């Protein structure tokens, strides 16, 4: 499958990632990507940037080395109501908003509580993609999550990092989520979740899950620039 964008990438601003914007853009250009999204963690993450960081992303050009740059956030869910760690005013100014449950940010809970928290997150009209829903640290009712993604028009992420170097034990959950996404016709976003420039655009293991379950390009957000832009445009309609 041909991927044209990587929509989940961290810079040194996240506090636990190790490459600059220029290094990331160069790596993306070298790998033939047409678009990347800079999605540093919101301020609730230890070591993460202050909220002011996300208001000043306008300083970054919209294109570097021929690669289109989306400027956004991987917002942290901070309570069971799905509240995020950026206010709506700042979320509204982002090109793209990812949201997910993270240790030290989201409250731990039962499967039912975690499921409710993730679904409440999807109800937020600014959220474009729910990230690493297969994380075993926050077990959820996976079918309920995928059904909610279909209902609220939110993309579900298949996170390559979860399947390789982080969030151990994610594979069976991501495998099931991919199966359910095919069943319910939910748009999938395949990401590197890169924390170092060398891994930008690395999708190999995640792509194997797509192939296993017969997920076609038209169901994958980042196989088309127009598909990405159309998905982001639908956020404005939700807010209205």
């Amino acid at each position: 499958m041909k991927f044209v964008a990587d929509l989940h990438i961290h810079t040194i601003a996240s506090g636990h990632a190790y490459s600059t914007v220029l290094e990331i853009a160069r790596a993306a250009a070298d790998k033939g990507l047409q678009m990347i999204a800079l999605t540093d963690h919101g301020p609730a993450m230890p070591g993460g940037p202050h909220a002011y960081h996300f208001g000043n992303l306008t300083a970054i050009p919209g294109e570097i080395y021929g690669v289109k740059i989306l400027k956004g956030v991987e917002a942290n869910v901070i309570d069971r109501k799905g509240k995020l760690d950026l206010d709506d005013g700042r979320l509204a100014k982002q090109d793209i908003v990812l949201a997910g449950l993270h240790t030290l940010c989201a409250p731990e809970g039962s499967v039912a509580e975690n499921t409710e928290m993730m679904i409440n997150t999807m109800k937020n009209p600014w959220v474009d993609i729910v990230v690493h829903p297969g994380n075993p640290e926050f077990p959820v009712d996976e079918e309920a999550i995928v059904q909610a993604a279909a209902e609220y028009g939110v993309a579900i992420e298949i996170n390559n990092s979860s399947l390789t170097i982080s969030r151990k034990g994610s594979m069976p959950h991501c495998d099931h989520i991919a199966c359910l996404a095919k069943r319910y016709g939910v748009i999938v976003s395949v990401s590197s979740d890169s924390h170092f420039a060398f891994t930008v655009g690395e999708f190999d293991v995640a792509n194997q899950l797509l192939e296993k379950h017969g997920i076609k390009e038209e169901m994958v957000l980042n196989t088309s620039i127009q598909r990405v832009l159309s998905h982001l445009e639908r956020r404005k309609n939700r807010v209205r």
Side-chain angles (χ1 to χ4, degrees):
M1 189 174 295
K2 172 72 172 175
F3 298 95
V4 299
D6 190 346
L7 302 178
H8 186 168
I9 299 173
H10 296 274
T11 77
I12 54 174
S14 281
H16 60 277
Y18 306 97
S19 298
T20 66
V21 172
L22 287 180
E23 290 166 341
I24 289 164
R26 180 75 270 169
D30 289 346
K31 292 184 178 181
L33 292 176
Q34 299 174 33
M35 174 185 283
I36 58 173
L38 304 176
T39 54
D40 285 306
H41 279 286
M45 178 65 65
H50 188 275
Y52 186 83
H53 167 89
F54 299 96
N56 199 46
L57 288 172
T58 52
I60 299 173
E63 185 173 307
I64 304 174
Y65 302 133
V67 178
K68 294 179 175 62
I69 311 294
L70 296 178
K71 291 161 274 187
V73 60
E74 182 185 8
N76 303 291
V77 180
I78 56 174
D79 67 22
R80 292 204 173 95
K81 294 181 179 179
K83 183 178 179 180
L84 303 179
D85 59 345
L86 279 185
D87 61 80
D88 284 351
R90 286 189 172 89
L91 291 173
K93 293 177 181 177
Q94 306 308 301
D95 295 329
I96 185 169
V97 175
L98 282 51
L101 311 182
H102 297 95
T103 304
L104 303 179
C105 299
E108 296 180 3
S110 65
V111 169
E113 288 170 331
N114 293 340
T115 301
E116 180 184 18
M117 181 162 49
M118 193 173 287
I119 291 174
N120 284 338
T121 300
M122 292 185 203
K123 293 178 182 178
N124 185 319
W126 298 115
V127 172
D128 301 303
I129 302 170
V130 169
V131 295
H132 44 69
N135 182 2
E137 295 176 354
F138 290 95
V140 295
D141 179 333
E142 291 158 5
E143 186 159 14
I145 292 302
V146 174
Q147 288 175 320
E151 179 179 355
Y152 296 110
V154 176
I156 287 283
E157 183 187 65
I158 303 294
N159 186 299
N160 202 72
S161 179
S162 293
L163 303 174
T164 53
I165 62 172
S166 62
R167 293 177 284 275
K168 301 296 184 183
S170 292
M171 176 60 86
H173 303 286
C174 293
D175 182 81
H176 188 221
I177 288 168
C179 176
L180 292 166
K182 173 67 183 302
R183 182 187 306 169
Y184 289 104
V186 170
I187 291 292
V188 169
S189 180
V190 177
S191 77
S192 69
D193 193 1
S194 176
H195 286 66
F196 188 70
F198 287 177
T199 58
V200 169
E202 293 296 314
F203 308 124
D204 291 354
V205 181
N207 190 36
Q208 290 172 16
L209 288 186
L210 303 189
E211 292 176 350
K212 175 181 177 181
H213 295 289
I215 295 175
K216 305 299 185 183
E217 284 193 6
E218 56 268 25
M219 290 181 61
V220 181
L221 189 60
N222 52 314
T223 57
S224 161
I225 298 300
Q226 186 54 52
R227 192 172 294 120
V228 172
L229 296 177
S230 295
H231 183 71
L232 299 181
E233 185 68 23
R234 117 258 170 249
R235 183 200 330 169
K236 296 177 184 177
N237 296 331
R238 288 181 74 195
V239 173
R240 291 194 196 103

